[in-house]
């Protein structure tokens, strides 16, 4: 396992963990306020593949405060990672939530680089309610950091599946544990995700698998609408799991991913 840095315009560095191997290339993309760390277990379960785990801009070990938080910038990072680290290869893009949205747009923009697309708890319809993005930003800004220790962080954050990943990404300082991301960057990032992208979805050329968790964030109408607008999409509904089904419905998630 090696760590690579892809240099991008504006002085942005994108951290990529390369698990090595000679098999087909898979690129894993985490969700908002996460990092590639939470997908390590998924990566290690994909035997016979070469897996690249990308910390998307503003997340993980990548540049924390990039000026450009457009969807095009995120897509460009993925494209650059494939072209620089796996030249001549076509990759399968696998993303969760915001990472699924990035993966989808990268597949739409550069089908020549993409063998297939897997979207876990992702969608393209966006949101017409600006309060959603503002609410997420306010939530992250409300974290009473620095936390004294991990126990204090868990007491505040609760016991949802994503909490282990958030706690693992907290950064240690002399004063305690602080966020591994910037709340305002998270809000600006999700504002861009909330723009509807139906045109790109309907024109998408690569084989696509859409996976939804039983207790995920999308309604039946949301799921049905995604498939209705692109009927060739393969849809799988997991029998359990939350929006973070890669963490709390891991066995079923991996089974579906491997078989596809």
């Amino acid at each position: 396992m090696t760590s690579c840095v892809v240099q991008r315009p504006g002085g942005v560095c994108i951290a990529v963990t390369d698990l090595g191997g000679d098999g087909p290339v898979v690129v894993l993309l985490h969700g908002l306020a996460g990092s590639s760390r939470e997908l390590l277990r998924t990566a290690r379960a994909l035997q016979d593949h070469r897996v690249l785990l990308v910390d998307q801009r503003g997340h993980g070990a990548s540049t924390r405060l990039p000026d450009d938080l457009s969807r095009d910038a995120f897509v460009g990072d993925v494209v650059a990672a494939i072209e620089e680290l796996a030249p001549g290869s076509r990759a399968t893009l696998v993303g969760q939530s915001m990472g699924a949205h990035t993966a989808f747009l990268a597949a739409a923009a550069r089908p020549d680089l993409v063998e297939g697309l897997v979207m876990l708890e992702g969608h393209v319809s966006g949101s017409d309610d600006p309060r959603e993005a503002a609410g997420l930003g306010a939530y992250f800004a409300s974290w009473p950091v620095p936390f004294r220790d991990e126990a204090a962080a868990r007491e505040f954050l609760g016991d949802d599946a994503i909490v282990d990943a958030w706690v693992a990404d907290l950064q240690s300082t002399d004063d305690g544990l602080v966020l591994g991301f910037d709340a305002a960057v998270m809000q600006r990032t999700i504002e861009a995700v909330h723009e509807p992208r139906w045109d790109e979805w309907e024109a998408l050329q690569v084989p696509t698998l859409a996976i939804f968790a039983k207790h995920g964030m999308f309604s039946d109408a949301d799921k049905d609408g995604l498939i209705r607008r692109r009927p060739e999409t393969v849809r799988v509904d997991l029998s359990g799991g939350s929006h973070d089904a890669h963490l709390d419905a891991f066995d079923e998630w991996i089974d579906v991913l491997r078989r596809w």
Side-chain angles (χ1 to χ4, degrees), residues 204-218:
L204 189 62
Q205 300 175 33
V206 305
T208 302
L209 171 64
I211 305 175
F212 296 102
K214 182 175 183 179
H215 306 293
M217 69 177 292
F218 298 106

Side-chain angles (χ1 to χ4, degrees), residues 20-223:
D22 298 321
V25 176
V26 176
V27 177
L28 298 184
L29 297 166
H30 60 83
L32 186 76
S35 76
S36 61
R37 185 200 307 263
E38 71 192 66
L39 287 165
L40 265 173
R41 190 180 178 199
T42 293
R44 288 169 175 150
L46 295 176
Q47 300 172 357
D48 303 321
H49 291 79
R50 180 188 175 193
V51 182
L52 303 177
L53 298 109
V54 177
D55 280 336
Q56 296 181 80
R57 57 176 57 210
H59 298 75
S62 293
T63 297
R64 178 185 173 96
L65 300 172
D67 290 331
D68 190 351
L69 290 168
S70 67
R71 293 279 75 205
D72 285 348
F74 280 79
V75 167
D77 297 339
V78 174
V79 169
I82 296 171
E83 291 183 330
E84 292 185 25
L85 303 178
S89 299
R90 297 180 74 210
T92 297
L93 305 184
V94 180
Q96 184 263 341
S97 192
M98 181 268 290
H101 196 270
T102 303
F104 142 64
L105 289 177
R110 292 294 305 272
D112 58 308
L113 294 179
V114 180
E115 188 73 27
L117 168 66
V118 180
M119 300 169 63
L120 173 62
E121 282 287 303
H123 213 285
V124 309
S125 63
S127 171
D128 58 4
D129 185 354
R131 293 173 298 180
E132 290 187 22
L136 274 173
Y139 168 64
F140 292 130
S142 75
W143 291 17
V145 290
F147 293 114
R148 181 181 64 257
D149 52 25
E150 182 177 314
R154 291 184 180 279
E155 182 178 359
F156 175 79
L157 294 172
D159 57 4
D160 289 340
I162 193 61
V163 169
D164 285 344
W166 280 343
V167 170
D169 282 341
L170 290 172
Q171 298 178 357
S172 181
T173 70
D174 291 342
D175 296 321
L177 300 174
V178 300
L179 280 77
F181 54 81
D182 181 82
V185 167
M186 297 302 101
Q187 180 174 335
R188 289 174 56 205
T189 296
I190 206 65
E191 284 172 349
V193 173
H194 283 174
E195 292 294 324
R197 306 299 292 252
W198 287 114
D199 289 346
E200 291 96 329
W201 176 249
E202 292 173 351
L204 189 62
Q205 300 175 33
V206 305
T208 302
L209 171 64
I211 305 175
F212 296 102
K214 182 175 183 179
H215 306 293
M217 69 177 292
F218 298 106
S219 68
D220 289 339
D222 290 331
K223 301 172 192 177

